Amino acid sequence: MNDARMSHKMILIKRKTRLEELVARFNTVQQAQFYVERLGADFSDYLAEDICYQRAVAYTADELNAFGRVQIIDREHVPQFIFGEQDTVIVIGQDGLVANTLKYARERPLIGVNPDPQRWDGVLLPFTVKDIKHIVPEVLRNRRQIKEVTLAKVQLNDGQALYGVNDLFVGRKTHVSARYQLQLDSQIEQQSSSGIIISTGLGATGWFKSVLAGAAGIVSSTTKQRVTLAPNQSEQEKVSFTWQSPYLYFTVREPFPSKTTAAELVFGQINESKPLRVISQMPENGVIFSDGVESDFLEFNAGVEATIGIAESKGQLVV
């Protein structure tokens, strides 16, 4: 083992398969099989997926051993893991695992590996396990193209912060309406809603897209005219909302107008000079989480102020 190899650290991020999650719930494979088949599902698919994934993880780890020390981290431990400045991060996907890891591995090259191309499309997983031996040396020599990704950041007035790769959610844990004050530039509103979604360009095809599709469907149904909604549709501005776009968009879900709440400030662009500010008016269960991971959240209860804008650092995806 030479010094050059020892100087490199390969962080391999993996997740639990559906089978592993079932076994954690039902204690044994047999009990998990009984549960699945009792519901009429095909348990063999769970087994096949698990076998393929475990083989892919083992193969990838073995390949990475040729380039440095390998440390395997489960998805659930990523938020607490401290990445070294020189670490190379390899995520063996799906896409959601790449997004969840990217916000913690900021400014470190991240390689997305598709463990099962026949099963997963993998927009953020351009490589297979067979590509590892070719891609990693190029990354270590800085000879591989890196695509920067704009991240969202929420900063609380108590010093806490959270990053988002796809999106941030501001609201309540339950289905009870969220109450807050919203401010963008000089416009300020008291609102009651199902929460606020803040999307990055990377997340434009996810939650953000579904919100716009729902709004377009409502307008189309009520006006009897087909409507398609997308940001930047004016003739003067034809810029698309991409991974590297230096701005975010926010949407307010189901805003409720009343004597004390308004519903005018429900959609808009956030950029470096125009952050979004939200002051919580929720006595309990107010939360802010990112990328759909509800277990990794900031408490957002009465009096706490959140400033949401562009993160100071970029995500680094190897392409």
Side-chain angles (χ1 to χ4, degrees):
M1 187 177 295
N2 57 50
D3 291 339
R5 179 178 175 277
M6 284 296 293
S7 66
H8 299 307
K9 191 174 181 182
M10 308 285 120
I11 308 299
L12 178 59
I13 310 296
K14 70 180 187 69
R15 61 173 179 86
K16 284 186 173 64
T17 63
R18 292 181 300 163
L19 178 61
E20 288 179 301
E21 290 174 344
L22 283 172
V23 171
R25 180 180 174 187
F26 295 105
N27 298 317
T28 67
V29 173
Q30 291 75 20
Q31 291 180 14
Q33 181 175 3
F34 174 76
Y35 170 78
V36 170
E37 291 183 344
R38 187 181 64 177
L39 297 176
D42 180 12
F43 189 70
S44 65
D45 187 57
Y46 289 76
L47 290 171
E49 178 192 357
D50 182 76
I51 290 170
C52 181
Y53 187 74
Q54 303 303 342
R55 286 176 176 170
V57 171
Y59 182 93
T60 302
D62 187 59
E63 291 287 286
L64 292 174
N65 263 316
F67 307 107
R69 297 168 293 145
V70 178
Q71 184 171 358
I72 301 177
I73 305 294
D74 284 319
R75 173 181 186 163
E76 62 197 76
H77 300 304
V78 171
Q80 292 78 39
F81 185 75
I82 300 175
F83 291 90
E85 290 186 6
Q86 302 302 318
D87 290 350
T88 300
V89 184
I90 302 90
V91 174
I92 188 154
Q94 302 142 274
D95 280 342
L97 185 57
V98 174
N100 293 158
T101 303
L102 195 62
K103 64 186 176 186
Y104 300 106
R106 300 184 304 277
E107 298 187 324
R108 295 170 184 82
L110 189 150
I111 303 170
V113 178
N114 192 333
D116 190 354
Q118 299 302 314
R119 184 182 294 269
W120 312 118
D121 292 334
V123 175
L124 303 181
L125 307 168
F127 308 113
T128 68
V129 295
K130 299 293 186 181
D131 297 322
I132 291 293
K133 60 184 177 183
H134 305 296
I135 301 302
V136 173
E138 293 181 358
V139 172
L140 294 177
R141 298 188 184 102
N142 297 317
R143 293 179 180 174
R144 191 75 195 183
Q145 182 181 353
I146 302 293
K147 190 168 187 177
E148 290 192 334
V149 178
T150 298
L151 307 182
K153 179 182 179 181
V154 55
Q155 180 77 52
L156 302 187
N157 57 349
D158 64 4
Q160 296 185 83
L162 182 67
Y163 294 83
V165 175
N166 287 320
D167 41 56
L168 296 166
F169 173 79
V170 182
R172 296 190 81 159
K173 290 181 181 179
T174 62
H175 293 291
V176 178
S177 294
R179 296 293 294 263
Y180 52 86
Q181 177 181 287
L182 191 66
Q183 178 179 355
L184 186 70
D185 269 355
S186 59
Q187 191 172 359
I188 300 176
E189 276 190 4
Q190 300 293 327
Q191 290 189 349
S192 175
S193 75
S194 297
I196 310 165
I197 299 167
I198 299 94
S199 179
T200 67
L202 184 61
T205 57
W207 204 350
F208 179 75
K209 181 179 181 180
S210 69
V211 170
L212 292 185
I218 292 171
V219 175
S220 297
S221 179
T222 55
T223 63
K224 307 303 180 184
Q225 295 181 347
R226 183 172 178 80
V227 174
T228 301
L229 297 179
N232 298 333
Q233 281 195 319
S234 67
E235 290 299 321
Q236 294 79 21
E237 191 176 23
K238 290 294 186 180
V239 181
S240 60
F241 194 22
T242 68
W243 295 6
Q244 296 153 309
S245 294
Y247 46 82
L248 317 169
Y249 278 97
F250 77 91
T251 58
V252 177
R253 298 197 310 173
E254 302 170 328
F256 183 75
S258 69
K259 290 182 179 180
T260 59
T261 59
E264 296 292 328
L265 185 57
V266 297
F267 180 83
Q269 190 183 100
I270 303 167
N271 54 49
E272 289 186 355
S273 62
K274 190 171 63 175
L276 185 71
R277 291 186 170 85
V278 190
I279 300 177
S280 176
Q281 297 172 349
M282 296 171 278
E284 61 181 0
N285 294 325
V287 295
I288 301 176
F289 62 81
S290 63
D291 304 320
V293 184
E294 297 183 37
S295 59
D296 183 21
F297 66 92
L298 301 177
E299 291 190 357
F300 189 54
N301 294 321
V304 178
E305 179 176 349
T307 301
I308 300 164
I310 305 297
E312 69 281 359
S313 57
K314 302 281 188 181
Q316 305 281 338
L317 281 177
V318 178
V319 294

